Structures are given as C-alpha cells and as structure tokens.
Amino acid sequence: MPGRSQSLAPTTSPTTATLGYALFATRWLQAPLYFGLVAAQGVYVYKFFKELWNLILRCVTGQATETYVMLAVLKLVDVVMIANLLIMVIVGGYETFVSRIGLQGHRDQPEWLSHVNSNVLKVKLATAIVGISSVHLLQMFVDVHHTSRHALLWGTVIHMAFIASAAILAYMSGPMAAHGARGAQQAVQVHRADTPEEPSTKVFVPAQATSRDDEPSAEDRLRAAGFPARKLLEDFDSEHPRAFDREAVARLGKLDFVAARRNVVLVGPPGTGKTHLAVGLGIRACQAGHSVLFASAAEWAARLAGARDAGRLAEELAALDDHPLLIVDEVGYTPFGAETTALFFQLVAHRYERGSLIVTGDRPLGRWDEIFGGPSALAMVDRLAHHAEFVRIDGDSYRMRRATSAWAE
C-alpha cells in the first residue's frame, strides 16, 4: 500500500514548482491596496468628526432644525457604515487573498473573521452595500422637499437592484458552499478507501516523544491517536440536535484553539454526537500535522493511576506535552474518588496554557462535583474553564432514534 501511494503521488518538475511559487507570491502585490484602504478609512474618520462638529455648533447656536439634525445623524450613520464596509474589506480581504493574520486566541478577534472566505465576504459586502443604500434612500425621503421626483424614483430603483443582487448572491452562496464541502468529503472518502482498515481492538499506548527526523504521516497520527472510529465533522448530522451552535463548531474546525492552547468542552445528553464532534476535531488536527491522543475518562484515569503507581507520573505528564491535543471522552458516566480526581487535576493543571484538551460530558462544569470528589475538583474546573469554548448540544439520543425507527419498520 505505501508503494501504491507513492506511485499515485503527482510529480512536479523544479521549473514548474518555481513558477507556481512565483505566481503565488504575486498575491503580495495586493497588500499596498489594502494599506491604501486604511488611508481611506482615515479620511472617513476625519469626515465623521467634521460632520459631528458642524452638528454640535449648529445645535449650540440654535440654528439646527429637526430635519437638519435627522439628516446630519443619517450622514454620521452613513459614514460609520461605509467605514465598517472598509474594515471588512481590509481585514477580511487581506486574510482571504494575501496572508493569515495572527489573531488566534486574541480576546478582540472578530467573530466573523473566524469563518471568513471569499464566498462569505461577497455576501457580507453585498448586505453592507444594501444597508448603506437604505440610509441614502432614507436621507432622500427625509429631505423630500429638496429632492426631485426623478431622483427619488431612480434612488428607489437602484436600491431595489442592490437588494436583488444581494439576495441572488446569498442564494448562490449556499449551493457553492455545499459543493465545496461535498468535494472535500469526497476527497476524504477516496483517501479512506485507499487506506487499509485499522484493527478493531484499540491499543492505548503510553505517550512517547516524536522524533523530528522521522515525522509521522497523517495516517500514522490517526492510527496513534486511538480514535474509536473515523468520524468526520462533515458527516455530523447537524439537523438532529434541537439546539446546536453550528458556527462555534465551524470556528473550532479551523483548529485555532489548538494553536492558542485553548480547551473545548462539549456538553449534552448521551447520543447527541459529542464523541462524533470530538473525533472529527481530532481527525482535523491529525490531518493538520498535530499529534492527538483520544481516550475515555475511565481510560485516562487508569493510565494516570498506572503511571503514579510506577513512580513516573511526572514523566508521563511531560511526555504528553508532545501531543498538542488530548481528548477526554465520556466524563460523567463513571464517578471518581478523591485520588482519581487529584490525578485529573494534575493533568489539567499541567496542560494549562501548555496544550489543548477536548472534554465531552453529560453535564456542565458547574455539576462536576457530582462526578469528581475531593478538594481538587473546583481547582480543576477553574483551570479547564479559563481558556475554553463551550458547545452545548440538546436533543434526543441519535442511537435511540435509529433503534426506534428500526423497530417500527
């Protein structure tokens, strides 16, 4: 099978590779354009404060009528909306077409930037233009006594054209995004078809340092991770849960939390897909070059207890640093005493701001005192939650639904 993979790999001549890299480097020619838009942003800041100062002066001197104040405020809103459009083009366009901006883990990272792409950016720009056009049209109607009927008519027609174009873009973005997702899923399925099936028994091996001279392949990382099954994020039935934050999971799928050494906590009743999402994120991490370890909470407890009894707990925790992502599954199904809780505390405390954890459980962190006993439970929850993103999944068990359907048939 390795020989087959090598024979299927495309060969690229040095000349072709150099030409491709050179063409790809031309994207930096767009960087001055975005810095020019930054200068335009400064012009709109000046225009905003100039309009605001004129409004304040006329209000103080008593020369401002109600119509003037309304028009002046609409001008200020118009300037702000255009400035918002500019910053969206500057940041989103630069991130999409030039180079990634290192905002991972920054507390002020915009929510929309985490899942921006050229398709999303076009829709956001179209909706922003519709909003600006709405403000312009409102200005015309407020100052209707000084606006000709011809200008009102064409202003309305142009505004409706903007609305229609934005609606068409939004409608087209759905099929295009779905087509891209299907293409990625088919590529993964082809890769899985060419990959030999892994043994059904799960081997939970001790953590070992990875040699930098012999970097493992993505398939090697997937096998070493110990996943119970190969479940992709694209295969998750997002329509089954009653409540599910799809945007949060899409954001996590970009794996910025791994680079930022943040945690993920997936909470929900049994059978709602927590393990599926955890495995899907773990597979994404393996494919991105990260080493991952997956095990249930009971298996982690046995592993840590074995290391403690052998007098090598500190060495085991240090060896786990070679794995940027650890997955602890099924927290809550087995209660733990004070000694085991102390072991989990040492794991979480050692990983704090050093590596990422994905934890799945059937109850929120506020109820972990029902699972973990002893004085270290509260400190463990505090460190786990400090740099964590929580995803709540509500719904009925997917397994029970399929079993009920099979019985009815």
Side-chain angles (χ1 to χ4, degrees):
M1 190 63 68
R4 178 186 177 185
S5 299
Q6 292 176 358
S7 64
L8 292 177
T11 58
T12 304
S13 65
T15 303
T16 304
T18 303
L19 179 60
Y21 287 137
L23 291 175
F24 183 62
T26 59
R27 73 192 191 279
W28 287 103
L29 294 175
Q30 292 194 32
L33 305 182
Y34 291 109
F35 285 109
L37 291 180
V38 172
Q41 183 93 334
V43 172
Y44 270 98
V45 171
Y46 168 77
K47 180 177 176 62
F48 178 88
F49 283 103
K50 181 180 179 182
E51 294 288 345
L52 180 62
W53 179 249
N54 291 334
L55 174 62
I56 293 174
L57 284 180
R58 297 194 63 167
C59 289
V60 170
T61 57
Q63 301 177 6
T65 63
E66 182 178 355
T67 301
Y68 171 78
V69 172
M70 188 178 300
L71 289 173
V73 170
L74 287 175
K75 284 183 179 180
L76 296 178
V77 173
D78 187 26
V79 171
V80 171
M81 294 184 69
I82 295 177
N84 291 341
L85 177 63
L86 273 175
I87 199 65
M88 193 179 299
V89 173
I90 293 170
V91 179
Y94 184 91
E95 168 105 357
T96 304
F97 300 108
V98 180
S99 180
R100 293 293 300 270
I101 301 176
L103 294 178
Q104 292 82 3
H106 195 283
R107 63 177 183 175
D108 295 330
Q109 180 181 358
E111 187 275 334
W112 57 269
L113 187 59
S114 61
H115 52 270
V116 69
N117 53 49
S118 59
N119 195 35
V120 173
L121 190 60
K122 286 188 291 186
V123 176
K124 287 184 177 293
L125 293 179
T127 54
I129 291 173
V130 170
I132 295 171
S133 175
S134 301
V135 174
H136 276 281
L137 190 61
L138 182 58
Q139 286 178 300
M140 296 172 67
F141 277 100
V142 170
D143 197 23
V144 66
H145 297 293
H146 299 88
T147 307
S148 65
R149 295 180 60 183
H150 179 77
L152 284 174
L153 175 62
W154 279 107
T156 304
V157 170
I158 293 173
H159 179 65
M160 296 303 297
F162 283 145
I163 293 177
S165 62
I168 293 172
L169 270 177
Y171 175 78
M172 293 176 61
S173 65
M176 286 189 293
H179 178 73
R182 284 196 301 268
Q185 183 175 354
Q186 290 173 358
V188 173
Q189 289 174 347
V190 170
H191 174 74
R192 286 196 296 177
D194 290 339
T195 302
E197 294 184 358
E198 59 182 354
S200 57
T201 57
K202 172 182 168 183
V203 180
F204 193 58
V205 297
Q208 298 177 352
T210 302
S211 172
R212 296 179 181 270
D213 297 331
D214 187 17
E215 192 69 21
S217 64
E219 181 60 29
D220 293 334
R221 288 189 293 270
L222 287 170
R223 290 179 179 176
F227 297 121
R230 302 285 181 92
K231 296 183 178 181
L232 305 178
L233 288 180
E234 294 84 355
D235 297 334
F236 182 74
D237 185 4
S238 60
E239 301 300 326
H240 173 64
R242 288 192 297 268
F244 173 63
D245 193 345
R246 295 170 179 80
E247 290 189 0
V249 173
R251 183 169 61 252
L252 293 172
K254 293 181 176 291
L255 304 178
D256 291 342
F257 74 95
V258 179
R261 299 181 178 90
R262 297 175 63 87
N263 302 322
V264 177
V265 180
L266 305 171
V267 180
T272 50
K274 303 182 298 297
T275 300
H276 187 146
L277 293 176
V279 170
L281 291 172
I283 289 177
R284 283 272 183 95
C286 289
Q287 293 171 341
H290 301 295
S291 179
V292 181
L293 281 182
F294 177 100
S296 68
E299 289 172 322
W300 279 112
R303 175 178 187 153
L304 296 174
R308 178 200 58 195
D309 296 341
R312 54 176 181 82
L313 180 60
E315 291 81 358
E316 180 70 11
L317 293 175
L320 289 173
D321 291 340
D322 293 318
H323 305 275
L325 178 60
L326 302 181
I327 302 177
V328 183
D329 193 31
E330 297 179 344
V331 172
Y333 300 113
T334 303
F336 299 110
E339 292 186 358
T340 305
T341 300
L343 292 174
F344 273 105
F345 166 74
Q346 292 188 61
L347 175 64
V348 173
H350 185 83
R351 300 287 294 182
Y352 181 68
E353 297 184 340
R354 185 178 291 162
S356 297
L357 286 168
I358 295 180
V359 180
T360 72
D362 64 345
R363 64 198 78 184
L365 296 183
R367 294 177 53 194
W368 271 25
D369 57 337
E370 304 171 6
I371 308 168
F372 296 96
S376 55
L378 182 60
M380 175 180 61
V381 170
D382 179 70
R383 284 169 173 78
L384 180 65
H386 183 211
H387 300 302
E389 177 146 8
F390 297 86
V391 177
R392 174 74 186 183
I393 309 174
D394 289 324
D396 300 324
S397 172
Y398 184 77
R399 291 183 288 268
M400 289 297 296
R401 186 188 71 172
R402 294 189 63 180
T404 304
S405 300
W407 177 261
E409 293 174 357

